[in-house]
Amino acid sequence: MLKKSVLATAVAGLALCAPAMAGNPLFSDIFTADPAALVDNNRVYLYVGRDEAKAEDKDYLMKEWRVYSSCDMKNWKAHGVPLNVQTFAWAKADAWAADIAKRNGKYYFYATVEHKDKPGKAIGVAVSDSPTGPFKDARGSAIITNDMTKQTDISWDDIDPAVFIDKNGQAYLYWGNQVMKYVKLKPNMIDVDGPIHTVAVPHFTEATYLHRHGNTYYLSWSREFPELTAYSTGPSATGPWTYRGVIMEKNEKVKTIHHAIVDFNGKSYIFYHNDKLPGGGEFRRSVAAEELHYNPDGTIRFIPQTAEGPAANPAPGCQG
Ligand code: FUB
């Protein structure tokens, strides 16, 4: 029989050797929401908004974005605050959902904020030489403002940017609430190029995401409210789209579920948010991840939310 002190030392030793294996939610020190992701140089970068609302609050309190990175989808390194609402001098509040793309060695971060002068939400674009920032305003003005779209009367219909660069170099910005919209971007990534189009998908609420896997384009979004994650597939970045169904069920205590999808180190993943951190709820969300599987016909398998999250998937050559 082991003596108590020997056992205690052995257990302590094991704890020291064990890697910090994050399950879901990924971060437990702060509330996080609205994941955006980028795979760069064999490393996955995860951008989140920070939910700062108190338990009794009745609205979002979001002032900054945070960035984390991982070499294996299990251990996450915090890189701090790469930008906040003040990054955009023309914005006054609400660091809502964002997305990121890399072009010509620069990182372009598209972010929802509340405009100071033009009523309603707007989308800004910030740029950095590094995926972890710091980012600075790339235009000095919003790329999308509420007065540029007339499909609804609500002040929050121009939120949730999703940026996508196609094989031929054409970049697109998708976004919207109640009505999904997209516009082409110029190669400089900071100016729109042509008219704004709308896209009709079943029960669209918000949180559009566009990605490609193989030769198929996947347009996904949050449908209904409380939200489920649904998707369509198509032969191009602008469709035509064929509805394929729901891939993630709604949350229990929070009505939103905003997601992002990436391929990393030979596997595919979805990031989303739920309410599972203790004290969590509508305005106190927590970002989680799951492995995502494609069927041989290109459809996506339904993704149950788990407490374990993805298995460790160490990318060769990625360290720290
Ligand atoms: O976090 C604020 C808003 O809630 C986001 O912009 C939406 O996608 C929803 O998650």
Side-chain angles (χ1 to χ4, degrees), residues 91-270:
K92 66 175 182 191
D94 295 345
W96 283 17
D99 196 17
I100 186 160
K102 181 183 184 184
R103 178 162 219 162
N104 297 333
K106 291 199 181 295
Y107 300 82
Y108 294 89
F109 191 88
Y110 300 80
T112 311
V113 282
E114 182 78 15
H115 205 287
K116 248 184 203 162
D117 311 312
K118 299 187 177 186
K121 290 282 180 288
I123 295 172
V125 50
V127 65
S128 176
D129 293 328
S130 159
T132 55
F135 286 82
K136 60 176 199 245
D137 190 353
R139 287 171 52 93
S141 63
I143 185 169
I144 301 290
T145 50
N146 191 40
D147 55 358
M148 289 167 69
T149 66
K150 304 284 181 207
Q151 293 86 6
T152 83
D153 289 336
I154 60 175
S155 62
W156 62 94
D157 59 349
D158 293 298
I159 66 170
D160 293 1
V163 60
F164 177 79
I165 305 177
D166 209 350
K167 283 181 284 191
N168 62 4
Q170 178 62 60
Y172 297 87
L173 188 68
Y174 275 75
W175 77 98
N177 179 294
Q178 309 305 311
V179 177
M180 186 190 288
K181 292 156 258 188
Y182 79 86
V183 71
K184 284 183 179 173
L185 295 176
K186 290 189 176 165
N188 67 9
M189 299 297 280
I190 66 170
D191 290 316
V192 303
D193 193 3
I196 293 172
H197 304 269
T198 59
V199 187
V201 292
H203 303 283
F204 177 69
T205 301
E206 58 185 3
T208 306
Y209 197 80
L210 178 61
H211 74 282
R212 188 167 56 83
H213 185 78
N215 288 325
T216 303
Y217 294 78
Y218 294 80
L219 183 69
S220 47
W221 65 93
S222 296
R223 61 169 280 171
E224 302 170 58
F225 202 72
E227 298 173 347
L228 310 98
T229 308
Y231 79 109
S232 290
T233 58
S236 84
T238 56
W241 300 110
T242 303
Y243 183 64
R244 299 292 183 190
V246 167
I247 50 172
M248 191 175 279
E249 252 305 334
K250 60 187 173 218
N251 285 313
E252 286 162 22
K253 288 183 285 183
V254 55
K255 296 186 186 67
T256 60
I257 195 166
H258 196 114
H259 69 289
I261 294 170
V262 291
D263 289 341
F264 169 67
N265 196 28
K267 296 189 172 189
S268 301
Y269 298 95
I270 185 167

